[in-house]
Each structure stands twice: as C-alpha cells, then as structure tokens.
Amino acid sequence: MSSSRTTPLRVAVLASGRGSNLQAVIDAIEAGQVRAHIVAVISNKKDAMALARARKHGLKDVFVDPKPFVGLPDSREAYDRALLEILQQHEVELVLLAGYMKIVTALLVNAYANKMMNIHPSLLPSFPGLDVQKKAIDWGCKLAGCTVHFVTEGVDEGPIIIQAAVPILDEDTADTLAARILVQEHKIYPRAVQLFAEGRLRVDGRRVVIGAAKPDGEAIVSAT
Ligand code: GAR
C-alpha cells in the first residue's frame, strides 16, 4: 500500500569511473528537480572520479576494495554481500548503477528487485555490453541512444524505464557519438529517479508503466 512520503528518497550510487551521470543526478537534486538524497556513493575503484565528486558535494564516499574477495569461493557474491550491508546500513531505497563496471550478482539484484537502475549507452535491446557506440556505427545504424532500465540478472536486460535517441552522423566516431549520447544520459537518468521518487513507475512484466503524477508520491514499485 502506498502512502505519502515526507522524506526524500534515499539513493545510493555505484560507480567505477568518471561519474558524469552521478554528477547529473547530484545537480538535479541540488536544483530541486529530483526529490532525493544520495546517502552513499560506492566504488570498486579507489581513484574513481565519482568518489571525488561525492566528496566535493559533501556526500559519503565508500571504496569497497575487491582485492580481499579474490579467490574466495563465490567471490562475486561475497563482494556484493559487503555492498548490501552498506546499502542496508544506510537504509537505501533506490540503487543507481552509473558507469559501474562490475556485474552485479543475483544477491544484490534480488535484494533490490525493481529498486535498482542502470544507464546504458545504447537503445536496448540493441547492443548490450561494451563498446556499444562503436558497434552501432559499425552496424550502420542511423539512430543510437541511451536507456535507463531496472536491473535484472541478465546483463542490460531489465525492463526499460526511459530511452532517448540521437542520430548517427556519417562523420561520427565512437567518441563523438558517445559524447552526444552522454548529453541525453544526463537528462534521462535524473528524470527516471524523479519518476521513481514520485512513485510513478509500475513494472508489468517487461513493461514499465509510467503513472500520473501524485501530489506526494512514495517510491513504490509493484512487480507482477
Ligand atoms: C556512461 O556512458 C554509461 O552509460 C556507461 O558508462 C558511462 C559512464 O560514464 N555505462 C555502461 O556502459 C554500462 N554498461 P560516467 O561515469 O561519466 O557516468
């Protein structure tokens, strides 16, 4: 049952690198466009620029070193168990993968079913995986874009929340195309977070239905 929420949505961001999508979400929150609070920015890379961005904005930054987990049985699950503890300690309601270059295991996916989003720089289901801007150009696509989706066990397979398309120009390189897609990523990721915060996302099988705005939405997502 949904009830009006009085506090901002508690969000954690997992990022491995540059963190420009993290920055877009931070900026949207600070501008009052997204009603959320980033309670932790977590990285598997000590020097991730994302962690520096978090510190700059007074947000909690957490480096979880993958090294101690290497060689353990179920090392990936063990790592995710450590992440889950941090997420639970901070009472996280929504997890954002933002350039998080580690595959999340079922342990984390199930704990945050329909409460974990990822952004991917292609129009899924075309081009899951890596180097996707180059793959779209090489395939001869006329359109590329980006997708925000809920995270499921299959990589880049979860229900699609928002997409944005950009044209592929004859002179595009992977870098120029990636830069144009990134501009759109920075628009649709904060938008998806705000829709979640307003309690407007309903998952119906593979489809995500965006409901009408409620005065004081709660982050409730119902799965079928
Ligand atoms: C973004 O383009 C994001 O879509 C992509 O990594 C980049 C991270 O940039 N993610 C993936 O490819 C995940 N499959 P950022 O660190 O500046 O946000």
Side-chain angles (χ1 to χ4, degrees):
M1 204 171 98
S2 76
S3 62
S4 298
R5 61 176 308 133
T6 53
T7 54
L9 178 73
R10 298 176 68 82
V11 174
V13 180
L14 271 54
S16 302
R18 178 178 57 179
S20 72
N21 277 291
L22 163 69
Q23 188 68 54
V25 175
I26 291 173
D27 291 346
I29 291 171
E30 290 184 353
Q33 292 155 0
V34 172
R35 191 154 183 277
H37 176 44
I38 297 177
V39 293
V41 175
I42 305 171
S43 185
N44 58 325
K45 301 278 182 193
K46 193 170 189 201
D47 300 329
M49 207 194 295
L51 292 179
R53 291 182 195 266
R55 288 191 292 272
K56 190 170 166 217
H57 288 265
L59 304 175
K60 184 168 184 60
D61 64 305
V62 187
F63 164 56
V64 182
D65 190 350
K67 274 200 216 99
F69 298 89
V70 174
L72 292 182
D74 297 330
S75 65
R76 287 172 50 220
E77 281 78 7
Y79 185 84
D80 279 359
R81 201 166 295 118
L83 293 189
L84 185 56
E85 267 177 37
I86 296 168
L87 297 173
Q88 288 173 339
Q89 271 165 18
H90 289 86
E91 297 177 9
V92 169
E93 298 171 282
L94 175 67
V95 179
L96 303 179
L97 308 185
Y100 183 62
M101 294 308 186
K102 219 169 175 305
I103 293 173
V104 288
T105 64
L107 183 101
L108 212 48
V109 170
N110 293 335
Y112 279 91
N114 295 328
K115 293 176 181 173
M116 186 186 302
M117 295 179 182
N118 180 43
I119 184 138
H120 180 76
S122 80
L123 291 174
L124 291 171
S126 294
F127 308 116
L130 298 173
D131 298 324
V132 295
Q133 298 93 342
K134 179 174 186 314
K135 285 176 186 161
I137 293 172
D138 290 350
W139 193 258
C141 295
K142 301 298 184 193
L143 283 175
C146 46
T147 303
V148 178
H149 63 91
F150 283 118
V151 176
T152 55
E153 273 192 67
V155 175
D156 299 328
E157 277 182 13
I160 291 168
I161 301 165
I162 311 185
Q163 295 184 302
V166 303
I168 297 180
L169 310 176
D170 290 341
E171 60 272 24
D172 260 332
T173 63
D175 285 345
T176 60
L177 179 58
R180 265 198 336 284
I181 292 172
L182 198 61
V183 172
Q184 298 304 317
E185 293 185 39
H186 296 165
K187 291 181 183 167
I188 66 172
Y189 216 1
R191 176 85 185 125
V193 177
Q194 177 58 11
L195 288 170
F196 188 98
E198 290 173 355
R200 291 172 61 187
L201 300 179
R202 183 171 60 82
V203 181
D204 180 8
R206 274 220 53 88
R207 299 185 60 220
V208 177
V209 181
I210 300 178
K214 289 186 250 164
D216 278 301
E218 191 192 13
I220 290 290
V221 177
S222 66
T224 51

